[in-house]
Amino acid sequence: MSDRFALTGARIFDGDDWHEGHALVVRDGLVEAILPTGAIPSDIRVVDTGGGLLAPGFVDLQVNGGGGVMLNDHPDVASIETICRAHAPFGTTALLPTLITDTPAITAAAVAAGEAAARQKVPGFLGLHLEGPHLSVARKGAHDPVLIRPMTDADQAMLIAARQKLPLLLTTIAPESVEPARVAVLAKAGIIVSLGHSDTGYAAASAFAAAGASMITHLFNAMSQIGNREPGLAGAAIDIGTLSAGLIADGIHVDPATIKIALRAKQGPARIVLVTDAMATIGTEMTSFTLNGRTIYRRDGSLRLADGTLAGADLDMISAVRFIHRVVGVELSEALRMASLYPAQAIGQSHRLGRFANGTAADIVALSDDLDTKGVWIGGEKVFAAGSDTVR
C-alpha cells in the first residue's frame, strides 16, 4: 500500500520560490507535488505542521563527526549512523562523513564502512569525503603533518576503487601533493576533487580546475589568501566560475565582512555553499575529544588544539543558516539554498536533493519563524520532532 501524506500549515520553499496556502504532498519517500490546500485529495493523510516554513533538507559536504563520535576514531557503520543521526535535529538530511588525514589502514576501514552504510541505506548517508592525506604541510591546519604525503599510483588506484563502491566520493587534495594529470583521472572516474589545505597560487589552482577539480574546501581557511600581486587559492575560489566553495559560517573561521565580499564577488555558475566542518561535539555536552592522539578543546563556540589552532567547527547547519541570514544579511531563500540546493549542485545531485519537485527525495526540514528546527523527514520518514527525546 502506498505511503502518501500531505504536510500543511506552513509556508513552503521549494528551492526556488515560496508557496503560501499550499501543501507538500509526499508519496513513497518522494515529493509528489505542491498543491493548493483546497486541492488535496480526500483519501490521503494530512499533517498540520503548525506554522513556520518547510524547506528542502540541508546537504552537508564536510562532517567529521557528531554525537560524540569521530569517523577517524571509529571508522565503522555504527559511527556513520551516529553521525547522521546527530545532525538530523539540525536539519541535515544528507551528509558526507569526512575522514581527516589518517593512515592507509584507517582510510580503508572508512571506505569499507561507507560501502556497508550505503548497502544498509543508513538514513542521511550520502557518501564519503576523504580530506587528505595529500595536502600541504604548510597549510596543514589540525591535520597531523606526519601523515601528510604525496599521492602515489597506489593511492590513485585506491580512490578509484573506492568510488566504485560508494554512492559519492569527494576528496580534498593540495596541488603541492598531487599532479594535475591525476586529478583528470580521478574526475573522469567520477570522484569530486576539491582543492584545500594548500599554499598554491592562482595559476596552479586554475590549471587544476581545468584538469577537473570542481570544489574548494572551507574557503579562506588553511589556504593562500588574496594578495595584491597573487590572488592565491582564496582568490581562485572566488574568481573561477567552475569552482564551488565550502564556507564555515560561524563568525570564527571567516569574518562576516569577508563573507559579504566573497558572496558579492563569486563568479558562477558554481556557488559558495555552507558546510559545518563539524566534529564529535555536535549533539553533545562534551568539552574535549581527541583526533590522531591530540586533544581538541571546546571553548567559546570554537574547537582548538592546545596551541590555539582551529580544529574543525562546533557548528550545526541550522546555526550556519541563521548566521548567514541574520549576521551576514543574506536573504532567507538564498541562505536556505546555500545549505541545500547549492551543495547538491556541487556534487551533481540537484536532480534529487535541495529542491521540492515531482520525484525528488522527500528530505524535508520544518522550521519555526525564528528558524528553530521543528521536524525533519528523510525519504518521507520523520526522523526528528522537536520536544522528542529520540531521533530515529
Side-chain angles (χ1 to χ4, degrees), residues 179-203:
E179 295 85 10
R182 292 195 189 279
V183 170
V185 172
L186 296 178
K188 186 176 180 180
I191 297 166
I192 302 156
V193 178
S194 186
L195 306 180
H197 287 276
S198 171
D199 218 21
T200 196
Y202 181 96

